[in-house]
Amino acid sequence: MKSKPEDSLSLHLRLRIVGSEKVALGPGKIELLALIEETGSLGKSAKRMGLSYMKAWSLIQTMKPLVETSRGGQSGGGGAKLTETGRKALALYRRMERDCLRASASSWKKLLQLLRD
Amino acid sequence: MKSKPEDSLSLHLRLRIVGSEKVALGPGKIELLALIEETGSLGKSAKRMGLSYMKAWSLIQTMKPLVETSRGGQSGGGGAKLTETGRKALALYRRMERDCLRASASSWKKLLQLLRD
């Protein structure tokens, strides 16, 4: 997630949830979840991200409680949708990003001023 | 920067300030700045980060207003210290990290609960 660019400098935020054997989430998986929510198709979502179908499939295998898949689907390549847990997880992650950027905005403004001078 | 690990999942935050031709800052450069502040030596700082002296040198060339270097130094390999601007930039970056983690803590707690279930 990026803040609104000011001058030529912009702030990029990356949140990753890292585990040993459990579900882990980062910007890539979150983008995939958001596209699944939007398109209802794993194939379309993979294509939009420039991923192979197999790569997208392997990513959702690491997020089992968050995504439901079905054979065939509207567009071939299998239907996919977020579970209730998946929708909540996506929303919480997005809120964390927004809250982070909001909370750091005043320091970011000062830092930008400092680097600009 | 990481939050305190709970269970086996932990939250990793990465802030990067990205520009076209100007100073850009991210976790690596910030670590280098913090080590320069601590050690007063570019050589020692590079060593602690597992970087070559040349690599560390090239990094500080991209952060000219933030670091002052001098020949020789206490430990050979050249002395280095943060400028007033460098100290302020380091402090602001750290504050942004802290503020981000604090602001996202309650959503992170909920997300953790969700992923744990």
Side-chain angles (χ1 to χ4, degrees):
Chain A
M1 189 182 221
K2 299 178 196 182
S3 74
K4 189 172 62 181
E6 298 184 47
D7 281 317
S8 58
L9 293 173
S10 61
L11 176 63
H12 297 226
L13 165 68
R14 187 177 164 202
L15 293 174
R16 279 189 314 144
I17 289 121
V18 179
S20 46
E21 296 167 86
K22 285 191 182 180
V23 175
L25 280 177
K29 286 182 181 179
I30 286 291
E31 188 182 351
L32 182 57
L33 291 178
L35 284 168
I36 287 170
E37 176 80 338
E38 184 189 334
T39 66
S41 154
L42 188 57
K44 283 183 189 170
S45 300
K47 200 169 177 182
R48 286 239 217 135
M49 287 182 73
L51 298 178
S52 69
Y53 185 82
M54 281 305 293
K55 176 64 185 172
W57 176 260
S58 73
L59 285 175
I60 66 168
Q61 296 314 300
T62 69
M63 303 187 280
K64 289 253 187 187
L66 309 185
V67 184
E68 265 170 21
T69 53
S70 56
R71 289 207 185 170
Q74 309 128 292
S75 56
K81 63 176 190 173
L82 301 194
T83 62
E84 180 63 20
T85 301
R87 275 192 297 275
K88 284 182 186 167
L90 178 58
L92 284 167
Y93 183 96
R94 294 299 196 202
R95 189 186 305 164
M96 288 168 69
E97 287 184 321
R98 283 195 305 273
D99 289 347
C100 270
L101 289 179
R102 198 175 298 133
S104 58
S106 75
S107 294
W108 164 231
K109 204 168 163 185
K110 285 177 202 159
L111 182 53
L112 194 59
Q113 184 67 47
L114 209 60
L115 298 177
R116 213 196 273 145
D117 286 346
Chain B
M1 189 183 222
K2 298 177 194 181
S3 74
K4 189 173 61 180
E6 298 183 47
D7 282 317
S8 58
L9 293 173
S10 61
L11 177 63
H12 297 226
L13 165 68
R14 186 178 164 202
L15 293 174
R16 281 189 313 143
I17 289 121
V18 179
S20 45
E21 297 166 83
K22 285 191 183 180
V23 174
L25 279 177
K29 286 183 181 179
I30 286 291
E31 188 183 351
L32 183 57
L33 291 178
L35 284 168
I36 287 170
E37 175 81 336
E38 185 189 333
T39 66
S41 154
L42 187 58
K44 282 183 189 169
S45 300
K47 199 168 177 181
R48 287 240 216 134
M49 288 182 74
L51 299 177
S52 69
Y53 185 82
M54 281 305 293
K55 176 64 184 172
W57 176 259
S58 72
L59 285 175
I60 64 167
Q61 296 314 299
T62 70
M63 304 187 280
K64 289 253 186 186
L66 309 185
V67 184
E68 266 171 20
T69 54
S70 56
R71 290 208 185 166
Q74 309 129 295
S75 56
K81 63 177 191 172
L82 301 194
T83 61
E84 180 64 21
T85 301
R87 276 191 298 274
K88 283 182 187 167
L90 178 60
L92 284 166
Y93 183 96
R94 295 298 196 203
R95 188 187 305 164
M96 287 168 70
E97 286 184 321
R98 284 195 306 273
D99 289 348
C100 269
L101 289 179
R102 196 175 300 134
S104 59
S106 75
S107 295
W108 165 231
K109 204 168 164 184
K110 286 177 200 158
L111 182 53
L112 195 59
Q113 184 66 48
L114 209 61
L115 299 176
R116 211 196 275 145
D117 284 346

